[in-house]
């Protein structure tokens, strides 16, 4: 089976980390780190898409690992899995999801699948914005009749339509399958956060 996303599990309880790995390995390429220090070493060597991160660990805490991840731009989605009850400080912690232990296989799998789907949505949206900007520049500077006769312009329009459909489909799946409302979720497009209203 081909794995589309790479997941790093960072958990100091080795049995639990290994169990999480077993739960996810059928659908994802999985790496396991038993400490924050090990996690940062893996980041230096491997491209990671999604991190499942314990908050309280000896040595480098999950919060410190998270800060390093965000500063390095290494992982695009971080799911914190912890026994620490959320307080108001969660508002300032830059995680994409926050799951409380104990956690079962279904809940972890759904969170990681949703994170992967969000990455797909963000990639489509980034490409769509780029192509739409190109289309606008072409239309503002070239004769429309000439443009319409150029196959490259036709290919551009076709790709824009495909990406719009793909983004819509992904958005619907997030909302129906995972109950995630992307209109109120903080998204990263490139490195620019989208304003929430």
């Amino acid at each position: 089976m081909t794995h589309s996303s790479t997941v790093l599990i960072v958990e100091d309880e080795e049995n639990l980390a290994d169990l999480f790995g077993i739960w996810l390995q059928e659908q994802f390429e999985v790496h396991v780190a038993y400490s924050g220090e090990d996690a940062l070493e893996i980041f230096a060597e491997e491209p990671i898409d999604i991190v499942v991160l314990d908050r309280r660990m000896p040595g480098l805490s999950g919060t410190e690992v998270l800060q390093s991840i965000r500063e390095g731009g290494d992982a695009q989605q971080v799911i914190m899995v912890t026994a620490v009850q959320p307080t108001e400080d969660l508002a300032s912690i830059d995680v994409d999801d926050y799951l409380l232990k104990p956690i079962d296989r279904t809940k972890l799998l759904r969170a990681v699948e949703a994170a992967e789907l969000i990455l797909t949505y963000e990639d489509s949206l980034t490409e769509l914005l780029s192509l739409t900007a190109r289309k606008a520049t072409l239309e503002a500077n070239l004769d429309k009749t000439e443009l319409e006769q150029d196959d490259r312009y036709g290919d551009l329009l076709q790709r824009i339509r495909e990406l719009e459909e793909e983004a819509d489909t992904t958005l619907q799946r997030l909302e129906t399958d995972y109950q995630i409302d992307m209109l109120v979720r903080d998204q990263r497009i490139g490195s620019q956060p989208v304003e929430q209203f």
Side-chain angles (χ1 to χ4, degrees):
M1 175 175 185
T2 54
H3 299 285
S4 42
S5 291
T6 304
V7 179
L8 174 63
I9 296 160
V10 188
E11 168 63 66
D12 65 305
E13 292 179 48
E14 294 189 16
N15 290 341
L16 187 57
D18 292 341
L19 180 62
F20 286 174
I22 290 165
W23 287 350
L24 296 175
Q25 69 187 6
E26 285 182 26
Q27 282 183 239
F28 305 96
E29 181 183 329
V30 175
H31 299 273
V32 177
Y34 303 122
S35 71
E37 291 82 0
D38 288 349
L40 295 184
E41 280 182 31
I42 291 171
F43 275 118
E45 298 165 13
E46 301 283 342
I48 303 293
D49 301 307
I50 301 164
V51 183
V52 175
L53 179 63
D54 185 20
R55 186 169 180 181
R56 278 201 187 140
M57 295 182 290
L60 275 180
S61 72
T63 307
E64 290 168 315
V65 171
L66 174 66
Q67 189 175 352
S68 283
I69 289 169
R70 292 306 191 207
E71 285 171 1
D74 295 312
Q76 295 171 306
Q77 288 280 305
V78 179
I79 302 165
M80 198 164 264
V81 179
T82 178
V84 181
Q85 285 289 329
T87 60
E88 291 81 0
D89 74 331
L90 180 57
S92 63
I93 298 174
D94 189 11
V95 292
D96 299 290
D97 206 346
Y98 194 94
L99 304 178
L100 283 172
K101 294 177 182 173
I103 183 170
D104 62 23
R105 182 182 184 277
T106 302
K107 194 168 186 180
L108 181 63
L109 202 52
R110 281 179 61 82
V112 176
E113 286 172 348
E116 182 178 52
L117 205 50
I118 289 164
L119 292 178
T120 303
Y121 176 73
E122 291 176 350
D123 287 346
S124 296
L125 204 55
T126 301
E127 187 182 349
L128 179 59
L129 292 171
S130 170
L131 296 182
T132 304
R134 242 184 285 170
K135 173 181 174 277
T137 302
L138 286 168
E139 290 174 353
N141 292 285
L142 295 171
D143 179 72
K144 187 147 174 97
T145 310
E146 286 177 26
L147 267 180
E148 287 169 355
Q149 292 170 354
D150 192 306
D151 289 343
R152 292 167 298 184
Y153 178 72
D155 292 344
L156 180 71
L157 294 181
Q158 178 60 32
R159 183 63 184 147
I160 287 171
R161 279 192 295 273
E162 288 169 5
L163 286 166
E164 285 171 342
E165 285 175 22
E166 192 178 301
D168 285 347
T169 302
T170 305
L171 203 53
Q172 285 172 357
R173 279 195 63 203
L174 283 165
E175 290 173 351
T176 56
D177 297 354
Y178 300 99
Q179 287 77 51
I180 295 173
D181 184 354
M182 293 296 284
L183 296 176
V184 297
R185 189 180 178 100
D186 180 19
Q187 304 168 42
R188 280 175 206 82
I189 300 171
S191 59
Q192 298 300 312
V194 172
E195 290 290 328
Q196 295 186 47
F197 297 99

